[in-house]
Amino acid sequence: MYRILVINPGSTSTKLAIYEDENLVSKDTVRHTSEELSPFKHIADQYEFRKEVIKNFLEKSGFPLSSFSAIIGRGGLLRPIPGGIYEVNELMKEELRQGKFGEHASNLGALIASELASDVGIPAYIADPVVVDELDDLARFSGHPDFERKSIFHALNQKAVARAVAEQMGKKYDEVNLIVVHMGGGISIGAHRRGKVVDVNNALDGDGPFTPERSGTLPMTQIIDLAYSGKITYDEMKKRIKGNGGLVAYLKTNDALEVQRKVEEGDEYATLIYKAMGLQISKWIGKMAAALSFQVDGIVLTGGLAYDKDYMVKWLTEHNQYIAPIYVIPGGDEEKALAEAALRALRGNEKVKKYPPKEVNNA
């Protein structure tokens, strides 16, 4: 039996879980107020604060560190790397401490996992961080050499549900072609070709369908006109793209459940906007089908919006069932996905990679 500690730091919370093989033993989400986090100028400064939260969780759970087989943290903002499981090493930790490729609370996952694991001589891992980059060379071209398409998406959940659907099919992940649609506050739609995400929209920086709070791909000339109009600041412009876009801009809320209630009550405008978001998602599913030469074994709907079977799932099924069978795996259990990755490493079912892999040279 393998006992695994999962550490998943988010912007305003620390999610923790203990698994024994595939079985969840204990789980907690510790919320952090803005007052608690305000003294920390940089994400790395939160290190001791977050570590204390984790130690308290372990004390309450009754499991000493020495009883664990491995610790896995949510992967942070690193250089672009292929998907997989990585053992935390000194270079990875140094880049995360420096915030070399960006600052995010998830950077702390590997750092804390490594320190706790080293105290008891067990491995520390990360798996499938948001910077997973397996794009085909052709998918990198944007249309102008000054701009390259980047791979930033919900890699951990996308790959976890892709493996689960492949298993349902009686196949391995690297034997199938899937389109995975993660629908949350951000929406990423990936073309999975035999175990690699060969094309995906950049869910962070304004690429793809509009979402509960992001504008997605916008008409470029209109963006340029607004940016140079003198009526809007740089920060306000960024907020139009991410934070104040999508459902927030149209309906003044990023709560999809509230929008669904409006639809149920017969609000025609809310229904129009919600359907428009569904249509944009369908268009991107079509793009990813083209990236797979329309050889698609299945379309997987996941993330929070996949719970909406009466509207969003129904609409997407109606639009896309002609491409491939639809599979629905709601939510996005990152702790479970991380525990499964650590278990594959411990059992020798997947080779653990060294950071950075030799084939990546983008320091």
Side-chain angles (χ1 to χ4, degrees), residues 88-294:
V88 180
N89 62 16
E90 290 303 317
L91 176 61
M92 181 188 295
K93 290 192 290 184
E94 184 60 26
E95 291 181 354
L96 291 171
R97 274 193 292 264
Q98 294 175 359
K100 185 174 180 179
F101 298 97
E103 287 197 71
H104 190 272
S106 59
N107 290 9
L108 296 167
L111 295 172
I112 299 173
S114 178
E115 179 181 335
L116 296 178
S118 66
D119 288 344
V120 290
I122 59 176
Y125 304 120
I126 65 165
D128 294 327
V130 295
V131 294
V132 164
D133 184 347
E134 299 166 339
L135 295 183
D136 275 352
D137 289 341
L138 291 177
R140 300 185 187 280
F141 290 90
S142 66
H144 192 285
D146 285 350
F147 308 97
E148 182 178 278
R149 294 186 69 240
K150 294 181 180 180
S151 177
I152 300 178
F153 69 109
H154 305 89
L156 181 62
N157 186 48
Q158 282 215 20
K159 283 184 171 280
V161 297
R163 289 188 187 95
V165 168
E167 188 174 340
Q168 286 183 40
M169 295 175 173
K171 297 183 178 180
K172 295 180 179 178
Y173 176 43
D174 60 6
E175 295 175 336
V176 296
N177 290 345
L178 300 171
I179 297 170
V180 181
V181 186
H182 178 103
M183 303 178 292
I187 296 176
S188 63
I189 303 170
H192 296 238
R193 183 197 295 143
R194 302 192 179 279
K196 291 187 176 181
V197 184
V198 296
D199 204 345
V200 66
N201 64 298
N202 183 333
L204 184 66
D205 288 336
D207 188 26
F210 72 80
T211 85
E213 58 186 24
R214 300 175 191 176
S215 296
T217 303
L218 294 171
M220 288 305 301
T221 300
Q222 293 180 43
I223 291 177
I224 294 167
D225 289 344
L226 178 60
Y228 282 87
S229 67
K231 300 176 182 178
I232 190 168
T233 67
Y234 174 83
D235 288 339
E236 290 170 341
M237 194 75 212
K238 296 277 277 190
K239 277 294 224 180
R240 290 280 177 100
I241 303 298
K242 183 176 64 177
N244 290 338
L247 296 184
V248 170
Y250 286 113
L251 300 173
K252 311 305 179 189
T253 180
N254 64 355
D255 186 346
L257 290 175
E258 182 180 339
V259 176
Q260 290 159 28
R261 284 193 294 270
K262 289 178 182 289
V263 173
E264 289 173 0
E265 293 165 0
D267 186 320
E268 292 183 3
Y269 185 63
T271 302
L272 191 68
I273 298 304
Y274 200 42
K275 278 189 172 182
M277 187 169 75
L279 178 60
Q280 288 203 1
I281 293 170
S282 290
K283 289 178 178 179
W284 275 86
I285 290 173
K287 288 185 178 186
M288 295 307 148
L292 295 172
S293 303
F294 293 94

Side-chain angles (χ1 to χ4, degrees), residues 5 16 18 26 28 51-65 67-68 116:
L5 173 62
L16 301 161
I18 296 171
S26 180
D28 194 15
K51 187 174 74 172
E52 200 60 33
V53 167
I54 296 163
K55 285 186 172 181
N56 290 338
F57 168 72
L58 288 172
E59 285 180 14
K60 290 178 183 177
S61 71
F63 293 108
L65 265 179
S67 71
F68 287 90
L116 296 178

Side-chain angles (χ1 to χ4, degrees), residues 289-332:
L292 295 172
S293 303
F294 293 94
Q295 297 177 20
V296 185
D297 298 304
I299 298 169
V300 189
L301 307 180
T302 186
L305 286 173
Y307 284 109
D308 179 17
K309 295 183 179 180
D310 292 335
Y311 297 102
M312 188 56 69
V313 170
K314 180 182 176 183
W315 295 336
L316 293 176
T317 300
E318 289 172 352
H319 272 88
N320 300 285
Q321 61 187 333
Y322 308 104
I323 298 173
I326 308 293
Y327 297 83
V328 183
I329 304 180

